[in-house]
Amino acid sequence: MSYTESPALANHLMDTVLPVRPALVDRGSAARLKPGMVEELIASGTAKAIVISQRQALVNGQGLWFGDALTLWQGLNQSGPGNVLPIYLGTTLGPSSVPEGTPVVLFSVREQLTLGSLAPADTQWAGFRDVAGRLDASDTALFVEGSAISNWHATHTHCPQCGRPTDVEAGGWVRRCPADNSEHYPRTDPAIIVTVVGPDGRLLLGGGGPADAKNYSTLAGFVEPGESLEQAVVREIGEEVGVRVTACQYLGSQSWPFPASLMLGFTATTDDAVARPDGVEVTRARWFSREELQDAVLRGEITISTRLSIARSLIEHWYGGVIEDLQP
């Protein structure tokens, strides 16, 4: 039966997709178009700020550290011209480390400075993976957003057309070339990440590095120019483990800006029962039944992706529930 023969099937959303996580930051894409809005917001004394440098943020025992934006701006600017770039991240939409409705600015710092009296003594530089387990959802969203935009600025300082240094506009979300007036926007690289299910219902997981390593996860790869997401799924799975995908379905996504990826989650089926790792990106691959996977995790035979990642969500979507971790 086709969709045209049964209108009730048209545009039907499957109830098996990953849950949609609500936005926790209002990015204010219209408000940030006003020239000088970031500087005005900082001067108002109402904004809080986070500080990121070289993919690390200032954190404390509670998570992300939020400082008074005006005080930080005045202090950080003493470190030298061009060392600090202010970027508008948005307004918080829920209570977290700061009250709901708080405007938040990112100070992207070229060099990791010792802030001295500008920050409490317990603040330190840390990467996202180091502190992700103790961040609440709002802090996570701000860290991820801030890391993505900060990395883009650090690697896209000049016009790709003429090589001139570009000017920052739109609250830090556009760079414009003063010579040819071309606008340049932050890039995001799409990557597919997939649970592959065999003809007997078992799940295929793989890993890179040493052949005797314990970590296993879903398979993934970047989408190439001119390629659909589904074509990327078929190609990557075929290249990495020699398995032919017969069908796939999109389940959900997760931003992973390290440096600039958007992970697009799929589940796929195959009639193949044998996987042949390519030996480069994937050095080992293994099929698991639900019972085998849970038992292997609890015995410490393997480790799987953490709950912070879309990979874990995809695995547990196939599993049909929560997979218990080995307790330390």
Side-chain angles (χ1 to χ4, degrees):
M1 180 182 295
S2 69
Y3 288 106
T4 54
E5 293 171 342
S6 179
L9 293 177
N11 201 39
H12 175 64
L13 297 181
M14 302 289 290
D15 57 6
T16 56
V17 298
L18 303 182
V20 177
R21 296 181 175 90
L24 297 171
V25 180
D26 179 356
R27 300 192 178 201
S29 55
R32 68 194 185 201
L33 295 178
K34 178 184 176 182
M37 71 83 63
V38 178
E39 290 77 11
E40 289 183 11
L41 182 61
I42 294 171
S44 72
T46 63
K48 293 293 186 180
I50 64 172
V51 186
I52 291 180
S53 178
Q54 302 170 19
R55 301 189 192 177
Q56 293 189 321
L58 280 177
V59 302
N60 58 20
Q62 304 303 314
L64 266 183
W65 176 69
F66 292 82
D68 176 72
L70 179 57
T71 303
L72 271 173
W73 178 244
Q74 293 171 338
L76 288 172
N77 272 317
Q78 297 178 9
S79 64
N83 190 43
V84 184
L85 175 64
I87 302 167
Y88 179 62
L89 295 184
T91 303
T92 56
L93 294 175
S96 59
S97 300
V98 294
E100 181 176 356
T102 300
V104 179
V105 175
L106 163 68
F107 291 142
S108 180
V109 183
R110 188 182 305 163
E111 300 176 2
Q112 293 185 354
L113 307 170
T114 301
L115 297 189
S117 61
L118 291 175
D122 65 342
T123 56
Q124 59 183 332
W125 295 101
F128 179 75
R129 291 181 178 87
D130 301 324
V131 297
R134 68 175 192 255
L135 297 179
D136 62 29
S138 182
D139 282 12
T140 296
L142 287 167
F143 199 141
V144 167
E145 179 187 355
S147 181
I149 191 67
S150 178
N151 180 73
W152 175 69
H153 278 291
T155 55
H156 293 77
T157 56
H158 290 66
C159 176
Q161 298 180 165
C162 69
R164 298 284 186 88
T166 49
D167 298 325
V168 179
E169 297 182 355
W173 291 86
V174 175
R175 298 190 74 109
R176 184 187 298 274
C177 177
D180 58 28
N181 205 39
S182 58
E183 295 180 337
H184 307 279
Y185 296 86
R187 63 174 292 170
T188 296
D189 300 321
I192 52 91
I193 182 166
V194 191
T195 46
V196 179
V197 182
D200 56 0
R202 290 189 300 164
L203 177 68
L204 177 63
L205 298 179
D212 59 352
K214 292 184 177 182
N215 57 302
Y216 282 82
S217 187
T218 47
L219 302 169
F222 285 105
V223 181
E224 295 187 347
E227 191 174 46
S228 73
L229 299 178
E230 293 79 5
Q231 290 169 345
V233 169
V234 173
R235 176 184 56 78
E236 283 287 348
I237 300 306
E239 291 176 353
E240 292 186 353
V241 290
V243 166
R244 297 164 296 177
V245 167
T246 56
C248 64
Q249 180 187 346
Y250 171 76
L251 296 182
S253 64
Q254 180 183 38
S255 175
W256 195 252
F258 306 101
S261 299
L262 176 64
M263 307 302 293
L264 300 152
F266 283 81
T267 187
T269 56
T270 180
D271 292 331
D272 295 335
V274 177
R276 291 176 287 275
D278 64 5
V280 180
E281 293 188 50
V282 179
T283 56
R284 54 209 145 74
R286 180 175 168 183
W287 298 93
F288 295 89
S289 70
R290 290 170 175 81
E291 295 76 14
E292 288 169 343
L293 181 61
Q294 178 64 93
D295 183 60
V297 171
L298 288 178
R299 288 190 290 108
E301 179 183 333
I302 68 167
T303 62
I304 59 175
S305 307
T306 69
R307 300 192 189 284
L308 298 169
S309 67
I310 189 173
R312 181 62 169 257
S313 296
L314 292 171
I315 293 171
E316 291 187 338
H317 173 270
W318 162 83
Y319 186 75
V322 175
I323 298 174
E324 296 180 24
D325 289 313
L326 175 66
Q327 298 304 312

